Amino acid sequence: METLLNLTIYLPLLGVLAILFAKSDELVKWIALVFTTLTFAISLPLIFNFDVAASDAAQYVTESGNLVFGLDIKYIVGLDGLSLLLFMLTTFFGPIVVLSSWTSVKKHVPGFFAMLLILQTGSLGVFAALDLVVFYVFFELTLIPMYFLIGIWGGKGRIHATIKFFLYTLVGSLIMLVALVYVGYHAGNAINDGIFITDWRVLSGMEYQIGLVEQTWLFLAFALAFFIKVPLFPFHTWLPYAHTEAPTAGSVVLAAIMLKMGTYGLIRFCLPLFPNAMLEFAPAIAFLAVIGIVYGAFVAMVQKDVKKLVAYSSVSHLGFVVLGLFALNTIGVQGAIIQMINHGLSTGALFLIVGMIYDRRHSRQIEDFGGITSIMPVFAVMFMLATFASIGLPGLNGFVGEFLILMGAFNSESIGSIWFAIVATTGVILAAIYMLWMFRRVMFGPVLKEENKKLVDLNAREIGLLIPVMFFIIWIGIRPTHFTQYSEHQVNVLLEQAEQKRAAIMEASHAADMPAWAQRLYDITPNYAEFNQEKTNP
Amino acid sequence: MAEFVWLIVVIPLIGFLINGLLGLSSEGYRKQKSVIGWLATFAVFVPFLIAFQIFLEMNAGSEPVVVRLFTWIEAGSFTSDIAYRVDQLSILMALVVTGVGTLIHIYSMGYMKTDEGFYKFFAYLNLFIFAMLNLVMANNLLLLFLGWEGVGVCSYLLIGFWYKDMEKATAANKAFIYNRVGDFAFLVAMFLVFRTVGSLDFDVIFSNLHLFNGDIAFWVAVLMFIGATGKSAQIPLFVWLPDAMAGPTPVSALIHAATMVTSGIYLITRFSGLYMTSPEAMLLVAVIGGLTAIVAATIALTQYDIKKVLAYSTVSQLGFMFLALGSGGFVAAMFHVVTHAFFKACLFLGSGSVIHAMHHVEHELEHEGKHVHFDPQDMRNMGGLKEYMPSTYKTFLISTFAIAGIPVFSGFFSKDEILAYLFNAGLGEFGAVYYALWGLAVLTAFLTAFYMFRLTLTTFHGTFKLPGKFKGAENAAKYLHESPASMTAPLWILAALALVGGFMGVPEFFVTTFTSTDATVNWLYAWLSGVTVRAAIILPYGVKWTLVAIAIVVAVGATILAYRMYDNDKGEATDAAIRERFGSLYATWEDKYKFDEAYEAMIIRPGNRLADRVLAVFDVKILDGFVNAIGSIVQFFGSLLRFVQTGVINTYAIAFVVGVILIIGLLIF
């Protein structure tokens, strides 16, 4: 099985090799399709054989020797409860994304599909990596193909969009790199005889503890990178450009998979490594998340471009995910994890659908449409399902995540006030407003534009690639436990461990006997803490 | 039989899937209209039979049966099942939903016969029944919420059924969004309930009501009530319902009169135990109900669109039900839900029959080559229809008697109950307010009888006015005809129920006064006594009979007055006289109290402006501008440093020497 996991990760790269030798564009497409489909097929045993009861430990682990002399950096990949569903989501979207670009990509076809395949490997690596350095390498690897996808095959403003996307996310991840190196040495000194170490399984354990002050700075450095990636308000401004200018396939991968790397990183690394800082900053971050939910929805409401509207709706939806994560209770975190999948499916579906209408009409302006339902009835049904999934209708997937997140946030001790959840709940009203306004203007009313009268309904390929997505949208809506079961155990364990670690670190920091106000100050003021440290350990 | 309750819910879903998927994929299937229609009808009728069988096997003392299918959502300490509850309340609602639902399905086969979206219509109707049954049969709040939102979606789909008309699509949006405002409160109520008792299961909640101390009980009750104001169209969220009349008329009958809009009343009745612990919340419910009743009744007085009158009448009657809830008469409210389902469904279907006929006239005139365009829903174009549509007229008249509260018709009993409870609540806390509300309710009852006969008389009595009003429509009367049997048969059944339905809840004192024994003639009370809490009626016989007498005088008086003012084509003259008499007050009614305009000016437009001119600009100029500024700063320093990198070796050599000197200098000193 370990081999299978590695094969799943690197099979798309083999596809790139095959594309190098392909003579015609048609053949390139088929190679891409075959390799992504195969990747999905061989990833299936990974979920079928997954031991749910032991989901807190990584499974199918491959561990190499030291990659760099003198440093404990190993190639470690494996899947556990946190990563399994996201990993599967990535393989699932592989063939769908390839099919969605079948006719719409006309220039540099081999390059396009090669980029998609590299992106696939990078994304799979991000979710499977269990060593911080390996994670970082894959994390950055995904940037490059996306940079080209937007920059070469994007719309009119693609250059500005892709540079902004690349630099903005790169700045975040470079800061994270500094913190990552620090953690590696610090952990080495603390528990590995002075040898640099970044094995997640070791670092996330109880033995490795980071002092309050260092934790604060390290958390901020890691979190910034992830917040930009998510993106959390106010770090989201790259997203509308990137989404609008990206080709359909790029938008889908960006929304469904790449944004999740941010939220995934928060739960994977920040929670176990910096438990005190997570708790300390929870209200502040929940505040940003709630602003993001409401703000994203308001801005989405007045967009004239369908794609931009969906992009801003992502800001709103991912605000929910972050809110759930920082609720720091099982309900909220479980909600956040399933919501990552849900957002991938429903927003992925929306981008696919917008892409289909763009292919026909070469416009994404809401005002260019109207009355499409009567011309494209099958399209209308798909669009409506995706819309209602995005609105969070009970019985479809979106509701499950949103409900759990809000329930978790409402009962969260870390966030501390029910008002965050209450304000966030207004998101359900706002989502209905912006989605249904858009849907009405695009799909209902009389057909006024002559160009729209000749539009043809979805073809077999398009229906075929949407049906699997719709299938999961409904399945998760009705039987969410089939999916949430994978992470439940691990989330419980992680939260409990974080709790214990938090207490242990507090104890070790001699902070327990301070008054509450000083303790707070202690957490955020490096000088005072150092001073205090010196005083107690002369 | 109760263990098969899940079939009641699942069968309509299957009907939806078959008709929906086959209809969407196969052109041929779409043409099989009778197959589609009957399949959909049986998908509701079979559940009715099952529900009826379960009902027969139950008695007033039966314990609730819970049928668990599977766990729906689970995370940490939260878990919620797909589980259905069979008790006296849920089976009563299920019978109404499937019973009235079956009749309306049959009616729709005639009404929608020529519509191109026939299959879609029936698929949506089945989906609605599925959602509605989830709402009333659910054993926990979360599943109830699934039904709650589900009926909202179906309502959205059916209001916007003729989506090519932008106005109708807009009405659909409006309905969904206003409902979502209520749903927001419902969600928060669920969070609060879970926080308090750790579960959303009815059994757990009801056995832990003591955990809801004062404030929490109040807030849960108020939040649920806000949810109910959305779904059941009360102030401040009622404005979507009149617009919802854009949907096909059977939809108005089923969803926007008989079933969906009563879900709020069902919800509060379900939680009667909780509401009874919070008098303040009860007062709020009653006040909102009373205000809505009178506001809607006065608007109904001024409308000419036959469906709009009925829509405002529905809002007003729903207000009556909330008055009952707010004064502790939970059974009385359910009683009115049931009788209202009968007579209002009948009225809506009757109006549909009329509209159908008027459409036919327009169509036939068109055929004749005369392009006469008139509003087939405007009652000023009608009149004298009783000659041409006897069944429609008679059933409509019976239902009008029922809603007006004329004795022995069903509405008489249920409305009477409500008035008694209101007066009774006057003896308790906040008594003065309840007396005032009773006065308001009597006034509303008067108006109800008045505007309903205004509607009936203008439509069916007098002479047919279309020929005189439009050029080319002179011989329009010959095209008027009664609707087919598939439409009139449901009308007669509903009219019969509207006539006798009241006898399920004959007040006890009607008998006990004379026999001075404890009689149980009130079947509905006995039936629901185990599942609802209710305020005790402590009025003496004398007061009770006086109240009944007042109710009769008001109803009969209003009816006679309406006959004198509206019979024999006097309608438009009378309306003009009333307008004259009431002046600006009448204008307010006609303007519907400007609720829509107020929301537009105070919420929608400012919200839009905030988003468009502030937030969207802030996003691009400030937030993104800041990001760009950082980029520019880097570029700026880069451009400064560029001058250092001249590429001239001499410069570099000088810099090198200076550097060395500096370092040596530092080392020495």
Side-chain angles (χ1 to χ4, degrees):
Chain A
M1 293 304 274
E2 299 81 56
T3 331
L4 200 62
L5 176 61
N6 282 305
L7 197 60
T8 309
I9 299 173
Y10 298 105
L11 195 61
L13 273 191
L14 286 180
V16 177
L17 277 183
I19 283 176
L20 288 179
F21 298 103
K23 293 240 160 49
S24 75
D25 287 354
E26 197 63 17
L27 189 60
V28 166
K29 289 181 201 169
W30 280 104
I31 290 172
L33 183 62
V34 166
F35 274 86
T36 48
T37 312
L38 262 180
T39 307
F40 177 57
I42 63 170
S43 72
L44 286 174
L46 297 174
I47 192 163
F48 293 142
N49 290 317
F50 190 79
D51 185 355
V52 176
S55 67
D56 58 321
Q59 298 173 31
Y60 323 125
V61 177
T62 308
E63 187 174 349
S64 74
N66 284 359
L67 296 177
V68 185
F69 178 73
L71 302 178
D72 229 344
I73 300 172
K74 297 174 186 149
Y75 172 80
I76 314 171
V77 291
L79 294 177
D80 59 12
L82 291 182
S83 53
L84 181 73
L85 286 180
L86 285 166
F87 189 86
M88 295 306 297
L89 183 75
T90 310
T91 61
F92 169 76
F93 262 107
I96 290 175
V97 164
V98 169
L99 274 175
S100 76
S101 321
W102 206 257
T103 52
S104 52
V105 175
K106 298 202 171 67
K107 66 174 179 184
H108 311 306
V109 175
F112 181 86
F113 286 96
M115 289 304 150
L116 273 188
L117 290 170
I118 296 172
L119 191 52
Q120 178 87 337
T121 290
S123 311
L124 291 172
V126 165
F127 296 126
L130 286 172
D131 184 283
L132 269 66
V133 173
V134 177
F135 169 83
Y136 185 81
V137 169
F138 280 118
F139 193 76
E140 296 295 52
L141 177 63
T142 58
L143 279 185
I144 296 157
M146 186 53 83
Y147 172 75
F148 287 119
L149 280 176
I150 301 175
I152 298 176
W153 293 275
K156 285 195 189 73
R158 60 182 183 270
I159 302 299
H160 177 233
T162 199
I163 288 176
K164 177 165 276 173
F165 155 76
F166 191 86
L167 288 183
Y168 206 153
T169 34
L170 188 69
V171 166
S173 29
L174 286 177
I175 293 171
M176 175 172 78
L177 180 63
V178 176
L180 196 156
V181 171
Y182 185 96
V183 168
Y185 280 115
H186 183 270
N189 287 330
I191 50 169
N192 200 33
D193 303 329
I195 300 166
F196 185 95
I197 182 168
T198 46
D199 183 341
W200 181 81
R201 296 166 304 169
V202 176
L203 300 191
S204 66
M206 276 301 287
E207 304 76 43
Y208 178 56
Q209 298 172 356
I210 308 176
L212 289 175
V213 183
E214 288 158 301
Q215 230 187 78
T216 306
W217 297 114
L218 292 171
F219 169 77
L220 288 177
F222 269 80
L224 181 69
F226 295 139
F227 288 161
I228 291 172
K229 197 84 173 183
V230 169
L232 181 73
F233 175 89
F235 308 109
H236 65 272
T237 54
W238 61 270
L239 186 75
Y241 293 104
H243 264 320
T244 318
E245 299 304 334
T248 300
S251 296
V252 174
V253 176
L254 196 58
I257 293 148
M258 285 183 73
L259 301 188
K260 307 303 164 332
M261 293 171 188
T263 45
Y264 171 77
L266 286 171
I267 180 86
R268 163 74 69 194
F269 300 108
C270 292
L271 177 64
L273 290 177
F274 322 119
N276 302 64
M278 276 293 267
L279 186 68
E280 196 62 39
F281 285 97
I285 291 161
F287 184 69
L288 289 181
V290 170
I291 290 185
I293 291 171
V294 177
Y295 175 90
F298 265 101
V299 179
M301 219 180 281
V302 293
Q303 295 307 313
K304 297 179 177 71
D305 180 313
V306 184
K307 241 181 161 181
K308 230 175 195 163
L309 187 146
V310 180
Y312 277 106
S313 86
S314 282
V315 175
S316 185
H317 284 161
L318 286 155
F320 276 106
V321 176
V322 173
L323 181 66
L325 289 179
F326 281 85
L328 293 178
N329 54 27
T330 313
I331 303 179
V333 174
Q334 276 287 76
I337 290 175
I338 195 69
Q339 190 65 1
M340 292 184 208
I341 307 296
N342 291 339
H343 176 264
L345 290 167
S346 51
T347 306
L350 282 173
F351 278 122
L352 288 170
I353 283 164
V354 176
M356 289 170 189
I357 194 88
Y358 182 79
D359 286 347
R360 287 166 170 71
R361 188 64 175 71
H362 298 290
S363 168
R364 291 184 303 257
Q365 299 300 310
I366 293 173
E367 59 181 17
D368 285 345
F369 298 100
I372 304 298
T373 304
S374 54
I375 301 160
M376 303 170 68
V378 178
F379 175 79
V381 172
M382 299 287 184
F383 197 1
M384 177 148 276
L385 254 175
T387 301
F388 276 120
S390 176
I391 289 176
L393 187 76
L396 301 177
N397 62 350
F399 175 71
V400 181
E402 272 180 24
F403 180 79
L404 287 177
I405 287 166
L406 292 170
M407 183 68 105
F410 194 85
N411 290 300
S412 166
E413 284 168 23
S414 63
I415 298 177
S417 164
I418 58 172
W419 286 102
F420 290 101
I422 293 176
V423 175
T425 310
T426 60
V428 305
I429 306 174
L430 299 172
I433 294 177
Y434 64 76
M435 286 308 285
L436 291 184
W437 277 6
M438 180 270 286
F439 196 84
R440 184 195 60 157
R441 284 179 288 168
V442 172
M443 301 305 288
F444 293 152
V447 187
L448 294 174
K449 298 252 155 63
E450 207 50 48
E451 305 92 306
N452 291 335
K453 289 187 179 147
K454 293 185 289 284
L455 296 177
V456 282
D457 207 347
L458 301 187
N459 58 34
R461 171 181 62 84
E462 290 165 323
I463 295 174
L465 73 92
L466 278 177
I467 291 248
V469 184
M470 298 302 162
F471 178 74
F472 279 101
I473 282 178
I474 294 169
W475 187 1
I476 298 180
I478 299 171
R479 301 307 301 269
T481 48
H482 289 177
F483 300 86
T484 51
Q485 57 165 348
Y486 292 108
S487 50
E488 174 97 17
H489 181 53
Q490 186 171 24
V491 167
N492 278 327
V493 170
L494 275 178
L495 288 172
E496 251 164 59
Q497 274 185 357
E499 185 80 50
Q500 288 167 13
K501 209 163 166 177
R502 202 175 286 140
I505 292 170
M506 281 309 279
E507 187 118 348
S509 307
H510 305 280
D513 49 347
M514 286 186 189
W517 63 269
Q519 200 171 311
R520 264 191 104 73
L521 200 65
Y522 184 93
D523 289 341
I524 55 171
T525 318
N527 294 335
Y528 178 59
E530 254 166 26
F531 169 68
N532 198 51
Q533 201 82 23
E534 279 165 15
K535 210 169 57 175
T536 44
N537 312 315
Chain B
M1 203 55 190
E3 61 272 28
F4 292 112
V5 61
W6 57 277
L7 275 175
I8 299 182
V9 184
V10 170
I11 292 173
L13 180 67
I14 295 171
F16 158 72
L17 288 175
I18 295 177
N19 273 342
L21 291 177
L22 283 182
L24 186 66
S25 55
S26 153
E27 184 94 43
Y29 186 76
R30 259 172 269 173
K31 294 201 181 91
Q32 304 292 322
K33 290 194 175 172
S34 57
V35 176
I36 294 169
W38 282 110
L39 184 97
T41 306
F42 273 99
V44 184
F45 186 57
V46 173
F48 173 75
L49 292 178
I50 299 173
F52 196 68
Q53 179 59 33
I54 294 175
F55 168 74
L56 290 180
E57 289 171 12
M58 284 168 73
N59 57 53
S62 302
E63 287 291 308
V65 177
V66 174
V67 178
R68 234 192 113 259
L69 295 190
F70 54 83
T71 301
W72 182 22
I73 297 180
E74 189 174 30
S77 58
F78 179 81
T79 171
S80 193
D81 293 336
I82 301 285
Y84 297 105
R85 180 187 188 87
V86 182
D87 65 9
Q88 288 79 1
L89 183 58
S90 68
I91 206 75
L92 179 74
M93 286 301 285
L95 283 173
V96 172
V97 170
T98 53
V100 176
T102 305
L103 294 174
I104 290 172
H105 273 70
I106 294 171
Y107 178 94
S108 304
M109 279 193 273
Y111 192 85
M112 301 297 289
K113 203 165 72 189
T114 52
D115 198 283
E116 54 179 335
F118 191 83
Y119 86 93
K120 219 162 43 174
F121 184 79
F122 279 92
Y124 290 165
L125 276 193
N126 273 187
L127 184 65
F128 168 77
I129 297 282
F130 164 73
M132 191 68 207
L133 286 170
N134 269 298
L135 198 165
V136 298
M137 313 279 309
N139 189 43
N140 59 60
L141 271 174
L142 197 65
L143 184 59
L144 191 154
F145 189 68
L146 176 126
W148 186 271
E149 287 260 279
V151 292
V153 170
C154 297
S155 164
Y156 165 84
L157 293 170
L158 285 162
I159 295 168
F161 186 73
W162 290 309
Y163 57 82
K164 285 176 197 165
D165 183 344
M166 204 45 148
E167 225 169 87
K168 294 187 162 75
T170 308
N173 263 9
K174 185 172 172 183
F176 194 85
I177 291 166
Y178 274 90
N179 268 299
R180 268 269 157 141
V181 177
D183 297 350
F184 155 76
F186 194 129
L187 278 168
V188 179
M190 280 199 277
F191 302 152
L192 206 51
V193 168
F194 180 75
R195 195 186 170 96
T196 311
V197 297
S199 173
L200 295 180
D201 265 20
F202 287 162
D203 295 307
V204 181
I205 299 171
F206 297 149
S207 56
N208 287 300
L209 280 177
H210 59 276
L211 293 177
F212 292 89
N213 58 40
D215 265 1
I216 297 181
F218 174 76
W219 282 112
V220 171
V222 167
L223 286 166
M224 277 187 184
F225 175 59
I226 296 174
T229 59
K231 200 110 285 178
S232 295
Q234 296 295 294
I235 291 173
L237 298 176
F238 75 98
V239 292
W240 64 270
L241 186 61
D243 289 23
M245 296 301 125
T249 308
V251 170
S252 313
L254 178 63
I255 302 183
H256 304 122
T259 55
M260 181 186 90
V261 290
T262 62
S263 355
I265 291 108
Y266 165 77
L267 177 72
I268 293 180
T269 308
R270 192 43 98 190
F271 282 80
S272 55
L274 177 75
Y275 275 83
M276 287 301 276
T277 63
S278 177
E280 293 82 7
M282 295 281 278
L283 182 72
L284 180 73
V285 172
V287 168
I288 294 288
L291 288 177
T292 310
I294 186 81
V295 162
T298 48
I299 299 174
L301 210 56
T302 64
Q303 299 297 304
Y304 287 104
D305 183 313
I306 179 168
K307 281 182 77 180
K308 282 273 163 72
V309 175
L310 290 175
Y312 282 107
S313 160
T314 304
V315 174
S316 174
Q317 294 300 306
L318 291 167
F320 249 91
M321 297 172 205
F322 281 101
L323 273 173
L325 296 172
S327 51
F330 297 98
V331 177
M334 286 312 294
F335 188 17
H336 205 54
V337 164
V338 176
T339 57
H340 180 259
F342 297 151
F343 59 68
K344 191 51 73 59
C346 185
L347 288 168
F348 263 115
L349 294 184
S351 78
S353 176
V354 169
I355 296 163
H356 196 67
M358 296 297 279
H359 261 302
H360 183 73
V361 168
E362 193 173 17
H363 190 74
E364 288 294 325
L365 288 174
E366 186 88 27
H367 212 70
E368 225 179 61
K370 290 170 183 154
H371 302 288
V372 187
H373 290 293
F374 57 90
D375 180 357
Q377 301 189 180
D378 191 331
M379 57 169 130
R380 283 169 297 193
N381 297 335
M382 300 169 187
L385 295 183
K386 68 174 176 177
E387 309 294 330
Y388 309 95
M389 313 180 72
S391 287
T392 306
Y393 167 63
K394 284 174 198 154
T395 53
F396 204 89
L397 191 64
I398 292 170
S399 300
T400 307
F401 274 113
I403 193 176
I406 304 295
V408 309
F409 289 88
S410 60
F412 165 71
F413 292 107
S414 53
K415 205 173 281 184
D416 198 54
E417 275 297 309
I418 294 171
L419 292 172
Y421 266 104
L422 271 172
F423 203 80
N424 186 55
L427 301 172
E429 210 174 337
F430 311 116
V433 184
Y434 280 103
Y435 280 131
L437 287 173
W438 177 83
L440 212 57
V442 172
L443 181 61
T444 309
F446 176 84
L447 289 173
T448 307
F450 187 75
Y451 70 71
M452 278 311 299
F453 276 100
R454 168 181 177 264
L455 170 66
T456 311
L457 295 170
T458 315
T459 309
F460 291 99
H461 285 218
T463 52
F464 189 43
K465 299 182 196 62
L466 189 67
K469 286 208 166 176
F470 290 89
K471 210 166 160 289
E474 290 78 11
N475 53 357
K478 73 173 179 201
Y479 296 121
L480 280 174
H481 67 89
E482 182 58 283
S483 298
S486 65
M487 288 166 70
T488 51
L491 284 177
W492 277 111
I493 297 173
L494 285 169
L497 289 168
L499 179 59
V500 301
F503 287 97
M504 72 172 87
V506 178
E508 308 278 345
F509 72 92
F510 274 39
V511 179
T512 48
T513 316
F514 304 109
T515 60
S516 60
T517 52
D518 278 345
T520 45
V521 285
N522 194 332
W523 173 82
L524 194 68
Y525 258 32
W527 182 254
L528 292 177
S529 59
V531 281
T532 56
V533 181
R534 62 168 184 267
I537 292 262
I538 44 178
L539 299 171
Y541 283 136
V543 179
K544 285 180 180 169
W545 283 109
T546 314
L547 290 176
V548 173
I550 293 173
I552 294 175
V553 168
V554 163
V556 174
T559 307
I560 293 171
L561 192 64
Y563 261 95
R564 292 185 51 176
M565 292 169 76
Y566 284 97
D567 206 5
N568 299 322
D569 295 336
K570 281 182 292 200
E572 289 193 59
T574 304
D575 280 339
I578 295 177
R579 182 196 299 272
E580 187 81 8
R581 182 76 181 272
F582 285 92
S584 63
L585 201 56
Y586 190 89
T588 313
W589 300 340
E590 212 174 16
D591 290 339
K592 300 153 191 170
Y593 294 81
K594 293 203 188 280
F595 271 97
D596 274 318
E597 288 80 358
Y599 292 155
E600 180 77 30
M602 291 189 313
I603 299 167
I604 302 170
R605 231 176 301 139
N608 231 323
R609 251 182 230 163
L610 172 77
D612 196 27
R613 303 203 186 147
V614 181
L615 296 182
V617 176
F618 171 80
D619 199 68
V620 177
K621 300 276 186 238
I622 313 280
L623 277 186
D624 198 41
F626 183 71
V627 176
N628 289 341
I630 289 180
S632 308
I633 290 168
V634 174
Q635 259 183 351
F636 172 72
F637 281 109
S639 63
L640 285 187
L641 288 175
R642 204 167 63 189
F643 293 113
V644 183
Q645 302 288 326
T646 52
V648 181
I649 296 175
N650 298 359
T651 328
Y652 290 160
I654 290 168
F656 178 71
V657 171
V658 172
V660 169
I661 291 169
L662 271 176
I663 289 169
I664 293 171
L666 275 174
L667 288 177
I668 294 171
F669 301 105

